[in-house]
Amino acid sequence: MLEQYYVQYDLNGCCLRAPWIMEKDDFKFSLSFGEDVFGGPRWRDLVGPEVADAYYRNQTVPVMLDPDGVPVKRNFVHVTDLAEAMLMTIDHPKARQQTFNICMDEPVDYREIANYLNETRGIPSVDVKTPYRSTWLDNTKAKLLLGWRPRVDLPLLIENAWTFQRAESDPRRVWYLG
């Protein structure tokens, strides 16, 4: 529809494609076997409630595997990187009527998440086979035309999520269940 408005009305706009947008402790809860999971998949539905409860108690994180047993790679972006990209595109001459992928430089590999959490926090992991496949959004166009660069990489995404201290006045809200 946006492209049609470009043609019909010569609209000065652009489209920013963003994958899973993370802030605060969202990423931590995207790896929860509990009812508090953020987004999808709902890990407890894949392993069953009794097994999920045991994993939840042990703070085990899932390693999402594709149907062939290969760890899935999935795109994320931190909300601060997305906000910066949005601000950069406003009236940017090279953004006019363009579409950009706004994401981390590389998709997050679920095995790398598990390895990092085990090395830095001793958190266990478990492989979970799913019907899902890897994706890889390419943000090169945004970097080339806008000069935009994501600042949040995998270690920082994990550190931000695991060290975040939520205030009592800041309840977790999940606007989109996945």
Side-chain angles (χ1 to χ4, degrees), residues 94-162:
K94 293 183 180 177
R96 181 180 173 80
Q97 299 181 348
Q98 296 295 313
T99 299
F100 299 99
N101 292 327
I102 304 300
C103 56
M104 294 167 64
D105 282 334
E106 291 189 12
V108 167
D109 181 309
Y110 277 79
R111 178 74 66 211
E112 289 179 22
I113 299 167
N115 291 343
Y116 184 91
L117 286 169
N118 187 264
E119 290 168 13
T120 61
R121 291 174 169 76
I123 294 175
S125 65
V126 63
D127 291 353
V128 179
K129 204 165 192 179
T130 71
Y132 307 111
R133 301 276 180 183
S134 293
T135 60
W136 191 311
L137 292 178
D138 185 349
N139 63 14
T140 303
K141 183 178 175 183
K143 289 159 63 173
L144 178 69
L145 295 182
L146 303 175
W148 173 83
R149 299 281 187 283
R151 296 174 195 254
V152 178
D153 60 6
L154 179 58
L156 186 54
L157 184 67
I158 292 171
E159 291 303 322
N160 285 347
W162 260 260

Side-chain angles (χ1 to χ4, degrees), residues 4-170:
Q4 183 60 36
Y5 277 43
Y6 293 160
V7 172
Q8 271 184 270
Y9 305 109
D10 195 31
L11 180 70
N12 180 13
C14 78
C15 178
L16 301 182
R17 288 188 190 132
W20 283 96
I21 303 166
M22 296 289 142
E23 72 156 352
K24 300 178 182 173
D25 53 5
D26 289 344
F27 191 64
K28 178 179 181 179
F29 284 92
S30 75
L31 300 169
S32 175
F33 281 97
E35 294 288 350
D36 57 357
V37 68
F38 173 74
R42 282 184 44 88
W43 301 106
R44 66 185 301 102
D45 294 347
L46 296 172
V47 300
E50 295 83 21
V51 173
D53 289 343
Y55 290 150
Y56 182 76
R57 281 191 301 276
N58 296 332
Q59 297 181 329
T60 301
V61 295
V63 175
M64 186 189 309
L65 303 179
D66 71 14
D68 301 321
V70 176
V72 169
K73 294 179 186 337
R74 193 174 186 194
N75 297 100
F76 292 93
V77 67
H78 194 272
V79 69
T80 57
D81 285 335
L82 178 57
E84 184 175 303
M86 293 168 87
L87 292 172
M88 288 183 89
T89 60
I90 296 172
D91 288 331
H92 192 298
K94 293 183 180 177
R96 181 180 173 80
Q97 299 181 348
Q98 296 295 313
T99 299
F100 299 99
N101 292 327
I102 304 300
C103 56
M104 294 167 64
D105 282 334
E106 291 189 12
V108 167
D109 181 309
Y110 277 79
R111 178 74 66 211
E112 289 179 22
I113 299 167
N115 291 343
Y116 184 91
L117 286 169
N118 187 264
E119 290 168 13
T120 61
R121 291 174 169 76
I123 294 175
S125 65
V126 63
D127 291 353
V128 179
K129 204 165 192 179
T130 71
Y132 307 111
R133 301 276 180 183
S134 293
T135 60
W136 191 311
L137 292 178
D138 185 349
N139 63 14
T140 303
K141 183 178 175 183
K143 289 159 63 173
L144 178 69
L145 295 182
L146 303 175
W148 173 83
R149 299 281 187 283
R151 296 174 195 254
V152 178
D153 60 6
L154 179 58
L156 186 54
L157 184 67
I158 292 171
E159 291 303 322
N160 285 347
W162 260 260
T163 59
F164 181 78
Q165 296 294 315
R166 186 171 291 280
E168 297 237 354
S169 61
D170 184 21

